[in-house]
């Protein structure tokens, strides 16, 4: 599903991603953890070309992300072309980023109506079903400003699901939430993982990781330090850096 | 010696009322032209591609850097030397429209910049093209923030139309100047003219207040309102700045 190979990225002189390679199989849930500034969010955002890469290739569903092959050269795609490929990848942001001038149901149907060109009536029907899935069927006509953080994030998940992506990316989805609301969002994510959605989640929620992750990935200073199944990862980490990081957050 | 009957006579004068009507439609038409030009120029500047940003910046710099009166005179009396003969109304519309467009471009651009980056990212993440992102997500939100400065510009334009009198357009001020040649009550005529403008700008102020209330509707809650307030204040401040200063702010924000 996802094949990232030798990813390097610079922010000016800062070498933020130093040769990351990662494969994600269909239906797998990969949880990425690591210290602030280590590159995990940046790496996640390269998967749908919200961040450009300076070296390496990324393939999602077999297609190159952000570039096109011309002979043995890589040519960057126009935003409009990248937009088409993004339909396969949904993303949930730390700060929700709901469209503030639209109601919940309009947020959810924004993708189907404006990107997939579905008929509004059909899109609204599907949208209501998704809102029910995330437990917010009664909030369909509420504006984001009228919703709590946890509710906004659940609407954001519904919005990401609405375009029927093959892959879901989560960028610290619960980091901006009050503790009481974290569970309601993680429950939705857990349910998605049980239904076989392919997910790459950057998160500090170790409980969720233990329950849902098929694989843990520890990224520090732009590199993957360790990769393992959650059992091995938490109970018998191989690297000292991993041990140190885990001791700080567990 | 002040002549009250002459003053009230002017306030009821049909010739002047028609002049006021000219002022109103000239303002509305120039504003419309300006909005179209301004929107295009703003989108060009925001695109970050030199092939678009350079002509847009040049247009804004030129129009904001020269007096609108000089622009009107050049269009009406200067262009004929190149064989382009525009009549008074066409010259006024072109001059005022071009000029207004430059100021509106900066206001619209400030409005677009005030929309949080996360909105752009969420739109891209859901698969929207840049054009769709602008149309569906960014411009509607920018609009809310743009309305107060836009209303301000309309207010200013109502009065700037008086400059068209210099190229002999028969708007309100010119008619006042003509009518005193028959009547000679100079002070009363111009005070009455001022009152006309005061009535027009006040009425516009009421319309503007309704517009601001209507478009602020989907924003509920104190947190959202204070965020809007900050954005609106930022836009008001930015629209008073020089384009060069806005560019520096823009680059800093990235």
């Amino acid at each position: 599903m996802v094949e990232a190979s030798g990813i390097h990225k610079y922010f000016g002189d800062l070498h933020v991603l130093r040769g990351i390679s990662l494969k994600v199989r269909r239906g797998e849930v990969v949880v990425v953890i690591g210290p602030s500034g280590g590159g995990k969010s940046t790496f996640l955002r390269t998967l749908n070309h919200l961040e450009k890469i300076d070296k390496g290739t990324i393939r999602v569903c077999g297609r190159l992300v952000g570039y096109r092959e011309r002979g043995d050269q890589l040519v960057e795609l126009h935003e409009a072309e990248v937009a088409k490929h993004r339909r396969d990848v949904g993303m949930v942001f730390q700060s929700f980023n709901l469209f503030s001038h639209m109601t919940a149901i309009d947020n959810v149907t924004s993708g189907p109506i404006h990107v997939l060109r579905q008929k509004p009536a059909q899109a609204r029907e599907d949208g209501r079903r998704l809102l029910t899935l995330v437990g917010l069927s009664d909030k369909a006509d509420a504006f984001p400003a009228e919703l709590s953080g946890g509710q906004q994030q659940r609407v954001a998940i519904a919005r990401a699901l609405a375009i029927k992506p093959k892959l879901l990316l989560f960028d610290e989805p619960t980091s901006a939430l009050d503790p009481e609301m974290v569970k309601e969002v993680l429950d939705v994510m857990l349910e998605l993982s049980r239904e076989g959605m392919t997910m790459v989640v950057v998160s500090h929620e170790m409980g969720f990781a233990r329950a849902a992750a098929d694989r843990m990935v520890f990224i520090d200073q732009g590199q993957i330090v360790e990769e393992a199944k959650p059992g091995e990862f938490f109970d018998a980490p191989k690297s000292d850096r991993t041990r140190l990081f885990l001791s700080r957050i567990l | 010696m002040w002549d009250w009957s002459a003053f009230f006579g002017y306030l009821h004068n049909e010739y002047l009322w028609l002049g006021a009507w000219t002022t109103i439609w000239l303002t509305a038409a120039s504003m419309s032209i300006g909005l179209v030009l301004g929107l295009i120029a703003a989108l060009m500047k925001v695109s970050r591609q030199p092939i678009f940003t350079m002509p847009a910046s040049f247009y804004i710099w030129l129009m904001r850097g020269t007096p609108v009166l000089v622009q009107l005179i050049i269009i009406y009396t200067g262009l004929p030397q190149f064989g382009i003969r525009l009549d008074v109304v066409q010259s006024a519309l072109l001059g005022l429209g071009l000029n207004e467009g430059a100021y509106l471009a900066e206001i619209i651009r400030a409005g677009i910049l005030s929309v949080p980056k996360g909105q752009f990212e969420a739109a891209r993440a859901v698969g929207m093209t840049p054009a769709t992102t602008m149309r569906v997500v960014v411009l509607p939100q920018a609009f809310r923030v743009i309305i107060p400065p836009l209303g301000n510009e309309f207010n200013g334009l109502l009065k700037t139309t008086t400059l068209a009198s210099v190229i002999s357009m028969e708007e309100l001020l010119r008619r006042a100047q003509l009518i005193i040649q028959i009547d000679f009550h100079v002070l009363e005529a111009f005070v009455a003219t001022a009152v006309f403008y005061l009535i027009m700008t006040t009425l516009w102020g009421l319309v503007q207040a309704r517009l601001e209330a209507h478009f602020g509707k989907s924003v509920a809650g104190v947190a959202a309102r204070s965020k809007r307030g900050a954005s609106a204040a930022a836009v008001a401040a930015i629209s008073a700045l020089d384009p060069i200063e806005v560019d520096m702010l823009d680059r800093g924000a990235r």
Side-chain angles (χ1 to χ4, degrees):
Chain A
M1 181 74 66
V2 178
E3 272 179 55
S5 180
I7 305 302
H8 285 265
K9 180 170 175 63
Y10 293 83
F11 278 127
D13 285 333
L14 190 62
H15 196 176
V16 137
L17 298 178
R18 300 167 192 247
I20 295 197
S21 298
L22 183 72
K23 281 199 175 70
V24 180
R25 284 184 308 276
R26 187 194 303 267
E28 228 193 324
V29 175
V30 173
V31 175
V32 179
I33 65 170
S36 260
K40 52 190 195 305
S41 279
T42 307
F43 171 65
L44 189 80
R45 289 155 60 91
T46 61
L47 296 180
N48 67 351
H49 204 61
L50 278 187
E51 298 286 353
K52 299 191 221 233
I53 54 177
D54 295 307
K55 225 199 301 184
T57 59
I58 303 176
R59 281 181 201 277
V60 171
C61 303
R63 228 179 349 196
L64 266 180
V65 168
Y67 299 87
R68 185 183 22 174
E69 282 176 302
R70 202 198 290 174
D72 59 346
Q73 285 272 60
L74 287 178
V75 175
E76 195 176 354
L77 293 171
H78 291 304
E79 262 298 305
E81 292 168 294
V82 182
K84 247 182 267 164
H85 298 171
R86 287 204 184 106
R87 297 180 201 180
D88 289 331
V89 185
M91 186 155 190
V92 177
F93 298 87
Q94 182 175 344
S95 48
F96 335 131
N97 292 337
L98 287 181
F99 304 138
S100 63
H101 60 301
M102 295 181 183
T103 58
I105 184 73
D106 286 334
N107 261 278
V108 174
T109 58
S110 61
I113 292 176
H114 297 284
V115 177
L116 303 179
R117 305 230 169 275
Q118 247 180 32
K119 288 204 167 36
Q122 178 66 48
R124 290 182 79 87
E125 212 186 288
D126 295 339
R128 282 190 198 278
R129 218 175 301 138
L130 280 171
L131 282 175
T132 309
L133 200 88
V134 301
L136 289 170
S137 52
D138 57 331
K139 296 280 185 190
D141 296 317
F143 285 98
E146 298 165 330
L147 298 172
S148 73
Q151 293 170 326
Q152 288 188 55
Q153 193 62 300
R154 284 186 278 152
V155 174
I157 294 176
R159 177 178 65 177
L161 289 170
I163 56 171
K164 301 199 171 47
K166 302 199 173 69
L167 169 69
L168 271 184
L169 304 175
F170 291 83
D171 190 358
E172 303 207 33
T174 57
S175 295
L177 294 173
D178 284 342
E180 321 93 71
M181 295 189 254
V182 169
K183 183 176 189 305
E184 68 195 51
V185 174
L186 292 181
D187 284 342
V188 172
M189 291 167 64
L190 202 59
E191 182 59 35
L192 284 173
S193 71
R194 292 204 177 113
E195 289 172 9
M197 175 64 75
T198 313
M199 297 162 63
V200 181
V201 181
V202 172
S203 179
H204 299 299
E205 291 294 328
M206 296 303 131
F208 169 78
R210 273 194 206 263
D214 295 311
R215 202 183 350 149
M216 302 293 303
V217 173
F218 176 50
I219 291 183
D220 184 17
Q221 292 177 42
Q223 292 178 311
I224 294 181
V225 174
E226 192 162 340
E227 248 185 275
K229 290 202 173 62
E232 284 171 48
F233 186 85
F234 288 112
D235 299 330
K238 293 198 186 72
S239 156
D240 285 336
R241 265 197 281 170
T242 316
R243 239 184 290 266
L244 186 62
F245 181 72
L246 287 175
S247 71
R248 289 214 181 105
I249 62 171
L250 287 173
Chain B
M1 218 48 278
W2 177 264
D3 185 338
W4 280 106
S5 70
F7 173 68
F8 284 114
Y10 285 131
L11 284 181
H12 288 92
N13 187 299
E14 193 183 322
Y15 183 67
L16 292 182
W17 272 92
L18 288 176
W21 169 239
T22 304
T23 296
I24 291 172
W25 71 249
L26 182 60
T27 306
S30 305
M31 191 73 179
S32 308
I33 295 171
L35 272 173
V36 172
L37 291 175
L39 182 61
I40 295 171
L43 291 175
M44 285 170 81
K45 265 193 96 165
V46 153
S47 77
R48 282 192 248 170
Q49 294 175 47
I51 191 175
F52 292 127
T53 59
M54 292 184 65
S57 298
F58 175 74
Y59 159 66
I60 293 170
W61 170 75
L62 192 65
M63 291 294 138
R64 281 173 54 145
T66 51
V68 56
L69 184 53
V70 171
Q71 295 166 16
L72 283 171
I73 295 171
I74 288 176
I75 290 171
Y76 184 61
T77 56
L79 284 187
Q81 290 181 23
F82 288 93
I84 308 172
R85 235 162 266 276
L86 296 170
D87 70 26
V88 177
V89 175
Q90 291 167 336
S91 304
L93 284 172
L94 182 62
L96 292 174
L98 272 178
N99 185 271
E100 194 59 31
Y103 287 92
L104 293 178
E106 286 300 87
I107 289 171
I108 294 171
R109 191 168 77 95
I112 292 173
L113 291 180
S114 79
V115 176
K117 200 158 159 261
Q119 297 288 302
F120 289 83
E121 293 192 344
R124 289 164 74 194
V126 106
M128 292 188 188
T129 60
T132 309
T133 302
M134 270 295 156
R135 187 173 51 88
V136 173
V137 175
V138 178
L139 288 177
Q141 293 186 61
F143 193 54
R144 237 182 283 140
V145 160
I146 283 168
I147 291 211
L150 226 60
N152 216 38
E153 284 294 314
F154 192 89
N155 176 300
L157 193 55
L158 272 170
K159 295 162 288 177
T160 306
T161 52
T162 52
L163 292 175
S165 65
V166 175
I167 57 168
S168 66
M169 175 140 185
E170 283 208 16
E171 42 70 64
L172 178 57
L173 178 62
R174 177 112 184 97
R175 289 198 164 197
Q177 290 169 326
L178 292 172
I179 214 171
I180 59 173
Q181 293 176 15
I182 311 171
D183 236 15
F184 308 114
H185 288 107
V186 178
L187 182 61
E188 291 84 348
F190 284 107
V191 172
T193 304
V195 170
F196 271 109
Y197 282 105
L198 197 56
I199 293 171
M200 288 190 284
T201 54
T202 305
L203 285 175
W204 171 250
L206 296 173
V207 172
Q208 185 179 339
R210 293 284 311 273
L211 284 174
E212 288 182 23
H214 172 78
F215 284 102
K217 256 199 295 202
S218 63
V219 176
V222 180
R225 221 174 286 131
S226 60
K227 190 166 172 237
R228 288 289 148 223
S231 304
V235 173
I238 286 175
S239 55
L241 289 175
D242 208 81
I244 300 176
E245 290 168 291
V246 185
D247 265 325
M248 286 169 65
L249 272 179
D250 187 13
R251 239 166 272 149
R254 281 187 244 130

